Amino acid sequence: MEGNGMVDVDMISLFPQNTFKNRPNGLRADLAQKLADLKPGFIRFPGGCIVEGRDLTNRYQWKTTVGDIEERKLIMNRWNVEFRQKLTPDYFQSFGLGFYEYFQLAEDIGAEPLPILNCGMACQYNSGEVVSLDALQPYIQDALDLIEFANAPVTSRWGKLRSDMGHPAPFNLKMLGVGNEQWESQYFDRYKIFEKAILDKYPAIKIVSGSGPSSDGGYFDMAWKELKQLHPGYVDEHYYKPPKWFLDNANRYDNYDRNAPKVFAGEYAAHPKESGNPEGRNNWESAIAEAAFMTGLERNADVVNMASYAPLLAHVEAWQWRPDLIWFDNLRSVATPNYYVQQLFAANKGTNAVPILRNGAVVAGKDSIYASAAIDKNTGELIVKLVNVTDAAVTTVLQLEKVTVPKQNATVTVLKSTDKNAFNTLDNPVLVQPVPAVVMVNGNKIPYVLEPSSVTVIRIKCKNI
């Protein structure tokens, strides 16, 4: 501008030139890259309780988060009044990051999008506000319109908006979540209406339903009883528990009904005791417990089709919840030990789970060792994951059957710490990180020493896979 005068400013949004994939109105490059480096199969958005809102007026509505940035409707964040360490709540959502950007992020990092929508219920821990069944149609229409926004041609109303925003091609949405952690009959009364409306119009969409806020108990049992009679693509289970629970429940899914709906372990994290440092709950004790538990997820991949640690991100000066996978300030970010556990499993998932047994039984905590195995038909490798939760080294022998193993240097990755309280910080970001190694393999019998308190991944080239 030149000359003298007065300017009224309505909305200003300042972005660095270096955004992820150099997209205008893009994402912070280091944070998005850390998500991409996890090699995720999917990304669930915008989250869990954030979908519900403290009340329905303040719920997350996807239609107010798309279109021109300056027209998106600002609301108070659902967590705004729950920052114990902040005297002045100032946590709002401008929706510069909205559903279009979430879909774009999923595409950019090679992940399937999994949006979660409000089911006509606010957070039951807060207001517990519920829409009457005869007033539920606008919420159902939001779900149907979202599928149109994601998948329909540009000749449709919502497909045209997607195109106008810069993405004429469909996002190829396959999954949609209805509700988050709702419970009791009021949820299932509403879920049934959503399910029928969605599947009548879009029968190929897989719906994610919820099992409530707990890993067991009356709400959980009721949910599964109801959902076995319905048709969800996945049942979302959540559990935030102490590390010992994760160690004790590594065989949780061994005896699940193989004919029941598939499980989505949608929110989980081991919660150790409080620490004076915000990042301190993301310590090695929590990470190794999650690794032990995840061997059970992999072993039961026919039941647990998807799993995701939660939450993903936390600012060191504006966190409401701990632990979180990635911590950051305004300039830097740090991957936690828990992040590296997730990354190890995702990067080494293989194509098919195979049995790994000790004396005929699954390896799920006996002598404090946990294990899972998979083959990768694309690379011709056997992938073995071994978790030693003791403070002592453990000598073991891998006996491989039904394959031929040529002489080779097999690749090994070890994540370990001798201090269960160790955690990564912005100033010391690599205290706990994966270390590559090799092991000499000569035949089907492979001696190996598991290091104390460690997660080990071994990849072995095999014939006859």
Side-chain angles (χ1 to χ4, degrees):
M1 298 177 186
E2 296 179 355
N4 299 323
M6 180 178 292
V7 177
D8 291 331
V9 175
D10 179 33
M11 186 269 192
I12 293 179
S13 182
L14 299 178
F15 273 77
Q17 288 185 330
N18 179 30
T19 60
F20 187 62
K21 302 289 185 180
N22 294 315
R23 296 195 177 279
N25 190 49
L27 300 178
R28 200 172 119 174
D30 62 324
L31 297 181
Q33 188 61 55
K34 279 185 168 60
L35 298 183
D37 291 344
L38 285 170
K39 301 185 183 302
F42 67 94
I43 182 167
R44 175 179 181 252
F45 60 85
C49 297
I50 198 74
V51 171
E52 303 163 14
R54 296 184 64 84
D55 53 52
L56 290 174
T57 300
N58 207 51
R59 73 187 187 277
Y60 197 109
Q61 301 182 62
W62 77 266
K63 290 177 180 175
T64 67
T65 78
V66 295
D68 293 338
I69 300 287
E70 61 271 20
E71 298 299 328
R72 301 182 188 183
K73 182 181 177 183
L74 179 141
I75 63 171
M76 181 186 78
N77 190 289
R78 175 253 180 276
W79 300 109
N80 187 49
V81 297
E82 298 189 28
F83 284 92
R84 297 177 184 176
Q85 75 278 22
K86 290 175 73 70
L87 296 178
T88 307
D90 58 358
Y91 193 25
F92 288 77
Q93 294 176 282
S94 68
F95 294 117
L97 171 61
F99 258 49
Y100 176 82
E101 288 77 23
Y102 278 121
F103 276 114
Q104 193 174 65
L105 171 63
E107 186 173 83
D108 283 346
I109 65 177
E112 296 287 346
L114 173 53
I116 309 296
L117 296 184
N118 188 289
C119 64
M121 300 176 67
C123 181
Q124 288 170 274
Y125 288 113
N126 295 139
S127 69
E129 186 182 357
V130 178
V131 170
S132 63
L133 295 179
D134 60 5
L136 195 60
Q137 185 55 37
Y139 293 76
I140 295 170
Q141 193 62 49
D142 278 351
L144 299 176
D145 290 345
L146 178 64
I147 299 171
E148 181 179 305
F149 175 78
N151 293 351
V154 297
T155 52
S156 67
R157 174 188 175 187
W158 293 103
K160 181 179 184 304
L161 176 60
R162 182 193 68 238
S163 179
D164 291 345
M165 294 183 71
H167 201 285
F171 283 117
N172 194 26
L173 175 67
K174 301 172 184 174
M175 305 176 287
L176 178 68
V178 175
N180 174 47
E181 285 183 349
Q182 281 68 47
W183 61 82
E184 291 187 317
S185 59
Q186 55 186 352
Y187 171 60
F188 296 104
D189 290 344
R190 286 155 183 78
Y191 173 79
K192 292 172 186 177
I193 300 173
F194 269 89
E195 181 182 83
K196 184 178 188 310
I198 294 171
L199 295 184
D200 280 354
K201 188 169 185 179
Y202 298 106
I205 292 291
K206 288 191 173 183
I207 303 176
V208 177
S209 182
S211 61
S214 304
S215 59
D216 53 20
Y219 295 147
F220 181 85
D221 294 340
M222 177 187 177
W224 267 105
K225 182 179 179 180
E226 288 277 353
L227 292 170
K228 283 183 178 181
Q229 306 303 315
L230 297 170
H231 311 285
Y234 305 98
V235 176
D236 188 3
E237 294 190 356
H238 295 180
Y239 20 80
Y240 298 111
K241 299 285 188 178
K244 187 177 185 304
W245 184 92
F246 285 85
L247 298 177
D248 294 342
N249 284 270
N251 58 356
R252 174 181 176 89
Y253 296 105
D254 289 353
N255 298 312
Y256 260 50
D257 182 357
R258 262 52 191 173
N259 296 315
K262 301 305 180 185
V263 172
F264 168 35
E267 293 185 24
Y268 70 90
H271 283 214
K273 292 181 180 179
E274 283 288 349
S275 167
N277 188 299
E279 304 103 302
R281 274 190 128 182
N282 285 105
N283 61 20
W284 180 239
E285 178 188 21
S286 66
I288 196 172
E290 291 157 7
F293 180 77
M294 289 169 69
T295 62
L297 300 182
E298 184 170 277
R299 180 171 61 250
N300 292 286
D302 59 324
V303 170
V304 185
N305 283 184
M306 302 193 301
S308 52
Y309 183 102
L312 279 180
L313 298 156
H315 194 290
V316 292
E317 295 177 357
W319 52 269
Q320 183 275 338
W321 180 276
R322 297 179 297 164
D324 305 275
L325 205 63
I326 300 165
W327 286 85
F328 65 97
D329 62 13
N330 290 350
L331 298 174
R332 302 171 295 169
S333 57
V334 58
T336 61
N338 317 72
Y339 173 97
Y340 288 122
V341 165
Q342 295 290 326
Q343 188 181 54
L344 277 178
F345 274 74
N348 296 283
K349 63 180 179 292
T351 56
N352 301 77
V354 295
I356 180 167
L357 305 173
R358 184 180 185 185
N359 298 324
V362 297
V363 187
K366 185 175 176 59
D367 298 328
S368 300
I369 303 299
Y370 300 78
S372 62
I375 56 173
D376 190 328
K377 291 186 176 181
N378 298 320
T379 63
E381 291 175 295
L382 172 68
I383 307 169
V384 181
K385 300 179 182 71
L386 300 162
V387 182
N388 175 17
V389 300
T390 69
D391 294 329
V394 174
T395 299
T396 188
V397 176
L398 298 176
Q399 177 67 51
L400 278 54
E401 299 180 356
K402 298 183 180 179
V403 293
T404 301
V405 183
K407 185 177 180 180
Q408 63 185 284
N409 283 327
T411 60
V412 178
T413 306
V414 180
L415 184 64
K416 64 177 182 177
S417 177
T418 57
D419 179 6
K420 71 176 184 179
N421 295 313
F423 60 93
N424 296 336
T425 67
L426 292 168
D427 293 325
N428 190 2
V430 293
L431 184 63
V432 181
Q433 65 173 335
V435 177
V438 295
V439 60
M440 184 61 187
V441 174
N442 189 10
N444 289 46
K445 187 174 289 188
I446 306 169
Y448 191 80
V449 178
L450 298 174
E451 297 191 52
S453 190
S454 64
V455 179
T456 302
V457 178
I458 306 175
R459 298 185 69 111
I460 306 163
K461 286 281 188 181
C462 298
K463 297 180 179 179
N464 308 324
I465 282 183

